[in-house]
């Protein structure tokens, strides 16, 4: 049995990882009371006690706007905890998969997907905290082939907080909704991302990950790209198609400059996932297909989501 410690078991990725756990893995999934990432001592102790073969660090302070207000807490959870995890895993000898974000990039490229080793230049506190975590892991575990940074984007799932639920709740409350149309990224199913995490853990030859890419960075998003506006339109249309929405909703595209948020966001943050596909010999699924599957799961549980 491979022993895996998973943080963030109540989050959308944590839940999806648990849902599709392979039979050859034993998972330990502490909740926030048992392991608080803002508590350095707890982060150190849990690794020393459990001595996992792998740590998949999914926990994070993920509210991008609130991170601007709670900067210290964001840095503790998103940057300091991964630093301690990397040091402790180095002592214990296991591998670390750190889930990172497209928001480590500034989005100035506009139309060319980001490759794994491109310059990071985060625009907000959340992105900066994820960048500092990446730096620590590369510094501490660099050369050991045990530190993997897995960047992803715009996560969606039938669980918790994400853009799908935000839109479905707005559809219930309003008839006309304005949505930002000048930020481009790619929605990504937590199930596809979870499958990749389990593939990493079960990869016989870990050297393959570091072969063309000594920093151990992998990118994973679903296929395609879109704006928040087109994403919202697709949620509306597919929800109508499957019977999750039965009223007319008008969506109006607006510019980011017309929708003030506390945190600045990149205009373009599409990730180039070719390297990951080649290493694992896999292909991606178009984001609209995964979105439809997730909406169907939400439909089955619509009462528990109060929709
Ligand atoms: N969501 C996205 O669009 C997106 C995009 C790119 C990358 N990512 C990255 O992907 C990973 C998974 O994201 P997600 O969407 O699954 O996140 P999520 O649904 O917001 O879940 C975050 C998890 O972290 C836990 N957590 C927060 N503060 C904690 C603390 N102090 N100690 C212990 N646990 C704590 C939460 O526990 P509670 O529920 O108890 O608070 C929850 O289980 C994160 O690393 C995130 O940065 C996310």
């Amino acid at each position: 049995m491979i022993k895996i410690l998973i943080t963030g078991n109540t989050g959308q990725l944590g839940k999806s990882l648990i849902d599709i756990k392979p039979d050859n893995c034993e998972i330990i999934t502490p909740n926030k009371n048992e392991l608080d990432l803002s508590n350095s001592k707890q982060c150190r102790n849990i690794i020393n006690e459990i001595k996992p073969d792998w740590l998949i660090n999914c926990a994070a302070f993920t509210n991008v706007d609130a991170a601007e207000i709670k900067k210290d807490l964001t840095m503790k959870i998103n940057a300091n905890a991964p630093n301690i995890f990397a040091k402790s895993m180095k002592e214990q000898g296991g591998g670390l998969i750190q889930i990172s974000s497209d928001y480590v990039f500034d989005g100035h490229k506009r139309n060319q997907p980001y490759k794994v080793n491109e310059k990071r230049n985060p625009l907000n506190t959340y992105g900066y905290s994820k960048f500092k975590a990446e730096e620590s892991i590369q510094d501490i575990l660099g050369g050991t082939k045990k530190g993997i940074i897995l960047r992803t984007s715009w996560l969606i799932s039938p669980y918790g907080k994400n853009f799908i639920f935000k839109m479905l709740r707005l559809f219930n409350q309003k008839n006309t909704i304005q949505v930002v149309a000048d930020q481009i990224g790619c929605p990504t199913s937590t199930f596809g991302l979870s499958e990749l995490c389990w593939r990493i853990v079960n990869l016989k030859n870990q050297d393959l990950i570091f072969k063309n890419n000594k920093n151990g960075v992998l990118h994973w998003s679903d296929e395609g790209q879109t704006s928040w506006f087109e994403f919202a339109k697709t949620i509306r249309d597919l929800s109508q198609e499957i019977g999750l929405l039965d009223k007319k909703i008008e969506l109006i595209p607006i510019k980011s400059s017309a929708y003030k948020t506390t945190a600045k966001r990149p205009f373009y943050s599409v990730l180039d996932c070719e390297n990951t596909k080649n290493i694992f010999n896999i292909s991606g699924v178009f984001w609209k297909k995964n979105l439809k599957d997730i909406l169907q799961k939400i439909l089955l549980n619509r009462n528990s989501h109060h929709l």
Side-chain angles (χ1 to χ4, degrees):
M1 278 287 194
I2 310 173
K3 202 199 287 183
I4 322 270
L5 175 63
I6 297 174
T7 64
N9 69 346
T10 55
Q12 15 175 19
L13 178 59
K15 282 185 178 172
S16 310
L17 274 168
I18 296 167
D19 277 354
I20 61 161
K21 175 193 93 63
D23 290 343
N24 67 340
C25 293
E26 173 202 349
I27 54 171
I28 297 119
T29 58
N31 62 31
K32 203 156 73 179
N33 293 330
E34 294 157 333
L35 171 64
D36 178 351
L37 266 70
S38 65
N39 182 325
S40 305
K41 206 169 153 194
Q42 279 185 11
C43 293
R44 204 171 299 112
N45 287 350
I46 196 152
I47 304 295
N48 295 339
E49 275 163 28
I50 292 173
K51 302 184 177 41
D53 297 308
W54 284 93
L55 163 61
I56 308 180
N57 186 29
C58 311
F61 190 103
T62 54
N63 184 327
V64 176
D65 288 312
E68 294 304 319
I69 295 149
K70 298 188 174 178
K71 288 190 183 194
D72 287 350
L73 183 64
T74 305
M75 291 307 290
K76 269 190 191 164
I77 297 169
N78 291 2
N80 190 45
N83 175 291
I84 294 166
F85 286 149
K87 285 179 184 155
S88 305
M89 291 303 285
K90 192 171 185 186
E91 283 166 24
Q92 298 298 338
L96 167 57
I97 301 175
Q98 166 69 13
I99 309 298
S100 194
S101 166
D102 53 336
Y103 280 13
V104 299
F105 296 118
D106 60 22
H108 291 159
K109 285 186 71 172
R110 292 285 176 137
N111 52 17
Q112 194 73 43
Y114 281 95
K115 292 195 188 296
V116 287
N117 288 324
E118 287 196 53
K119 189 179 178 300
R120 298 163 291 191
N121 183 31
L123 298 179
N124 54 43
T125 301
Y126 169 78
Y128 181 71
S129 67
K130 301 298 280 186
F131 160 60
K132 292 307 280 183
E134 291 190 1
E135 257 192 354
S136 291
I137 289 161
Q138 288 168 343
D139 285 353
I140 297 161
L141 292 172
T144 66
K145 298 188 179 170
K146 297 279 189 185
I148 293 164
I149 288 152
L150 176 51
R151 289 190 197 123
T152 189
S153 64
W154 298 20
L155 287 182
I156 55 171
S157 73
Y159 308 121
K161 299 156 280 178
N162 62 45
F163 188 73
I164 302 177
F165 286 103
K166 191 173 173 181
M167 281 301 128
L168 292 177
R169 297 215 165 92
L170 283 172
F171 294 164
N172 279 340
Q173 294 158 9
K174 300 180 170 197
N175 298 320
T176 304
I177 302 159
Q178 298 186 329
V179 188
V180 167
D182 58 0
Q183 289 173 26
I184 308 295
C186 190
T188 301
S189 163
T190 54
F191 294 110
L193 182 63
S194 298
E195 272 174 31
L196 177 61
C197 290
W198 293 125
R199 279 179 199 274
I200 295 171
V201 164
N202 272 308
L203 186 68
K204 294 258 169 348
N205 182 4
Q206 294 287 328
D207 285 0
L208 285 176
I209 294 175
F210 297 85
K211 200 172 153 202
N212 298 321
N213 160 29
K214 65 178 173 35
N215 288 325
V217 183
L218 297 172
H219 281 177
W220 187 254
S221 296
D222 288 341
E223 286 293 304
Q225 62 176 51
T226 189
S227 67
W228 292 112
F229 171 71
E230 287 297 331
F231 186 11
K233 241 172 69 174
T234 313
I235 295 170
R236 178 196 64 187
D237 296 348
L238 289 174
S239 297
Q240 282 168 339
E241 188 185 312
I242 66 169
L244 187 55
L245 177 69
D246 53 14
K247 68 186 252 207
K248 275 195 163 177
I249 300 286
E250 188 189 10
L251 293 168
I252 299 171
I254 56 166
K255 290 192 167 169
S256 302
S257 52
Y259 182 74
K260 290 281 171 236
T261 53
T262 316
K264 232 173 138 180
R265 287 163 170 78
F267 281 113
Y268 183 88
S269 60
V270 178
L271 301 172
D272 181 327
C273 303
E274 282 312 304
N275 195 39
T276 308
K277 289 181 199 159
N278 290 339
I279 293 170
F280 293 91
N281 196 18
I282 51 176
S283 51
V285 175
F286 193 45
W287 66 269
K288 285 187 190 178
K289 157 104 185 49
N290 281 334
L291 171 60
K292 190 167 181 183
D293 290 349
I294 289 170
L295 287 169
Q296 264 151 348
K297 287 198 169 90
I298 294 173
L299 177 65
L300 289 176
N301 287 306
R302 71 183 306 171
N303 291 338
S304 62
H305 295 302
H306 307 293
L307 291 168

